Amino acid sequence: MKHPLIHLAIGSLFVVSGSVMAQNNAPQDGVKVGEMSIFRKLAGNGQLEGQAAQQYAQTMQQAQEQHALAPSNNPQVIRLRAIAAKLIPFAMRWNERALDWKWQVNLLGSKQINAYCMPGGKIAFYTGILDTLKLTDDEVAIVMGHEIAHALREHGAERAGKTMAANLGVKALELLASVKGYDPNLAGALGGGVAKVGMLKFSRDDETEADVVGLDIAARAGYDPRAGVALWQKMGMASKGAPPQWLSTHPAGSDRIAEIQRHLPEVMPLYAHAKGLDLNAITAYKTNVKGIAAVD
């Protein structure tokens, strides 16, 4: 569903100090994921971060020109920045480059159910995701942790690198077809179709990885990772008629819930430690929407 975009933005810089060990792989405790993709090196992270900073600044400038810049005392802005300030220190361990990022958090007024974190730590939330889904602080942290994880795992550079490699593959297929006497245009079209389906799969894998890493970050910051289950139940209510999973860059909601539940044994101890609670004494997570059961 498309809605008119009403820009509402605020910039906020977070400076995080302290020595935090950063690494490309998962920490020793918490969730485990593999090495970051080598394809990200093809695109060049520094260049992407610079481009992202420019694009982000332009978006903020446009919002200012439209007189849609919310004041710093906007309750939702204060809320988002407070949650980000808790998450960011625990993000550093996933990527040492994040130590030098100039983190920002902005609120974009739109009915779109969306949020993102661009390379370099440029975070934006849309009012639609906060208002439509009635997100609790724990659920905001799950969304934000997921988006931060995309930047930390350098998925933007990875996708750019994979696109470059796929394009080279299609060109090679066209050349081979021409040498063999076949129609290079037909070969290129077939190869491009296969590459497109493959890129959708890569994107779904990135989404799953971001879900898992985001859970780890949120739990360490003291936010209940079980909120991810309620979040995707809410998302399912709001996204009726979504495309089938194999034609989508995002995994199906039921698959995401199953993946979150699979990793709860890894992240619930982190949450309990952050809250200073006995793991066995933690009560079920209850969201604020009727019809969604408590999550044990």
Side-chain angles (χ1 to χ4, degrees):
M1 182 182 299
K2 294 183 178 179
H3 302 278
L5 177 63
I6 306 170
H7 290 285
L8 177 63
I10 290 186
S12 173
L13 176 65
F14 288 90
V15 178
V16 182
S17 60
S19 60
V20 183
M21 291 299 292
Q23 49 189 315
N24 287 344
N25 293 326
Q28 293 302 308
D29 57 346
V31 303
K32 306 294 187 295
V33 295
E35 293 279 354
M36 288 194 287
S37 172
I38 60 173
F39 284 101
R40 76 190 196 283
K41 296 182 180 296
L42 295 177
N45 291 306
Q47 182 178 357
L48 279 183
E49 288 171 12
Q51 292 172 349
Q54 279 189 328
Q55 182 179 347
Y56 194 81
Q58 289 172 359
T59 301
M60 300 305 107
Q61 181 63 34
Q62 290 172 0
Q64 186 174 22
E65 291 172 355
Q66 295 170 8
H67 306 287
L69 188 66
S72 296
N73 62 357
N74 180 294
Q76 290 284 37
V77 174
I78 293 172
R79 179 190 183 207
L80 289 172
R81 292 177 179 173
I83 293 171
K86 292 180 180 179
L87 295 178
I88 288 170
F90 297 100
M92 303 302 175
R93 65 195 296 134
W94 289 92
N95 191 328
E96 61 186 7
R97 294 174 58 83
L99 292 166
D100 299 322
W101 288 353
K102 308 302 181 186
W103 293 85
Q104 289 182 281
V105 177
N106 294 275
L107 179 63
L108 300 172
S110 169
K111 292 183 179 179
Q112 294 183 51
I113 300 176
N114 198 14
Y116 61 80
C117 179
M118 300 176 78
K122 309 304 183 187
I123 300 170
F125 265 67
Y126 291 70
T127 54
I129 195 169
L130 299 176
D131 299 338
T132 303
L133 300 186
K134 298 180 174 60
L135 297 182
T136 66
D137 285 359
D138 293 289
E139 291 158 10
V140 168
I142 296 298
V143 173
M144 192 178 292
H146 168 95
E147 298 303 332
I148 288 173
H150 276 309
L152 294 172
R153 299 295 289 177
E154 300 176 11
H155 288 158
E158 176 187 344
R159 286 193 292 273
K162 286 175 177 176
T163 298
M164 292 171 61
N167 289 338
L168 288 174
V170 171
K171 292 296 183 183
L173 184 61
E174 290 175 342
L175 179 60
L176 178 61
S178 180
V179 170
K180 295 291 187 178
Y182 298 109
D183 184 351
N185 293 326
L186 178 58
L190 291 172
V194 172
K196 183 177 180 179
V197 173
M199 290 303 295
L200 290 175
K201 173 61 167 62
F202 288 142
S203 295
R204 291 195 297 271
D205 288 345
D206 287 347
E207 290 296 323
T208 299
E209 183 175 88
D211 280 347
V212 173
V213 173
L215 286 180
D216 186 284
I217 294 170
R220 291 177 191 276
Y223 293 102
D224 196 328
R226 296 172 299 179
V229 175
L231 167 68
W232 282 104
Q233 289 176 325
K234 287 182 175 182
M235 194 72 77
M237 293 177 178
S239 61
K240 301 298 184 183
Q245 179 177 342
W246 66 276
L247 283 179
S248 173
T249 59
H250 291 63
S254 58
D255 290 346
R256 297 184 90 144
I257 290 173
E259 188 70 14
I260 288 171
Q261 291 174 324
R262 189 169 74 84
H263 288 280
L264 286 180
E266 298 171 278
V267 294
M268 284 302 293
L270 303 178
Y271 171 64
H273 177 76
K275 301 295 287 186
L277 299 173
D278 185 299
L279 181 61
N280 296 321
I282 297 176
T283 58
Y285 176 78
K286 296 180 181 179
T287 191
N288 54 359
V289 172
K290 293 181 179 179
I292 297 180
V295 185
D296 291 319

